[in-house]
Amino acid sequence: MDTLFPPVPVYPPGFTYVPDFLTEEEEQQLIREISGIELHAFNFHGYEAKRRVASFGYDYRFDQRSLVKGREIPGAFQNLVGKVASKTGISKEEFVELLVTEYPEGSVINWHRDAFPFDVIAGVSLLSDCTFRLRPHDKTKRVRGSIISLPVKRRSLYLIAGKARTEWQHSISPVQSVRYSLTLRTLRNPPGRS
């Protein structure tokens, strides 16, 4: 039976998607800021991925398996951090990492969960869309149809928290054109918390 409205996607608990989070002007300003940042190849356990990155705040070093404090998050991105904080109800100070990523045409992110020291993940897409996929981390829970695919549009925001963070993996299908993402993360155990 046909319906007037398309079905609403069912996301894992803790996953939120907000289309049109940024205005076109905000997107263009962020792209200008990114153009002034020196990006470098992303290395994962000796493998050079087909994307370039720059990390600010806390950073997880895969080669050392440790969390290190790096350069401060640039002031030009503080409005974005504040806007994400306002939308998510997470304080601006809790977002301790900003990862800037450039995905050239055809690049992917394979199935993974973000590094353990991080907790909540907020991602903002710029310049082009992508297909975001989610699947259960536990292999025994992966059945036919357990992969959730959704279009993540430019200027949108997604949030991965709770069970979506701990019990699900995510990946990105090959992008059709250059895409930038700005990923903000909180820490599972922030310094000073007992």
Side-chain angles (χ1 to χ4, degrees):
M1 181 171 112
D2 291 333
T3 60
L4 287 174
F5 304 101
V8 176
V10 177
Y11 303 133
F15 184 87
T16 306
Y17 176 67
V18 182
D20 300 314
F21 175 68
L22 297 177
T23 65
E24 289 182 22
E25 293 78 17
E26 288 170 325
E27 179 188 41
Q28 289 306 311
Q29 177 62 36
L30 289 166
I31 291 170
R32 282 192 294 273
E33 294 300 334
I34 292 169
S35 71
I37 294 174
E38 185 177 334
L39 302 172
H40 59 86
F42 177 71
N43 287 294
F44 182 75
H45 297 296
Y47 169 75
E48 188 173 297
K50 191 180 174 184
R51 59 185 181 269
R52 298 188 314 143
V53 298
S55 182
F56 300 94
Y58 283 89
D59 186 27
Y60 187 77
R61 298 285 169 85
F62 290 96
D63 56 342
Q64 301 169 10
R65 297 181 183 264
S66 64
L67 193 67
V68 296
K69 183 82 166 77
R71 300 172 290 169
E72 292 297 318
I73 296 174
F77 294 95
Q78 290 304 322
N79 285 343
L80 174 70
V81 177
K83 188 168 184 171
V84 171
S86 177
K87 187 69 177 180
T88 61
I90 298 169
S91 76
K92 191 174 175 179
E93 294 72 29
E94 287 181 82
F95 287 109
V96 296
E97 191 214 22
L98 167 67
L99 179 66
V100 179
T101 308
E102 176 190 69
Y103 299 91
E105 181 180 340
S107 63
V108 302
I109 294 185
N110 294 319
W111 290 108
H112 72 286
R113 290 186 301 174
D114 285 34
F116 179 79
F118 294 113
D119 190 17
V120 176
I121 305 153
V124 176
S125 291
L126 305 173
L127 203 57
S128 67
D129 305 344
C130 73
T131 300
F132 198 89
R133 298 178 302 169
L134 297 147
R135 74 177 183 188
H137 177 65
D138 183 343
K139 291 179 183 178
T140 64
K141 294 182 180 178
R142 293 183 204 156
V143 295
R144 187 180 178 106
S146 64
I147 293 177
I148 300 169
S149 290
L150 64 139
V152 169
K153 301 289 188 180
R154 65 189 293 185
R155 297 189 294 277
S156 67
L157 166 71
Y158 64 82
L159 188 75
I160 305 175
K163 288 186 177 181
R165 170 72 176 101
T166 58
E167 297 179 15
W168 289 70
Q169 297 177 323
H170 56 278
S171 69
I172 294 176
S173 298
V175 296
Q176 302 302 308
S177 58
V178 175
R179 173 179 175 261
Y180 291 100
S181 75
L182 299 173
T183 306
L184 297 169
R185 295 184 176 103
T186 68
L187 288 177
R188 191 176 302 274
N189 296 304
R193 184 197 289 176
S194 52

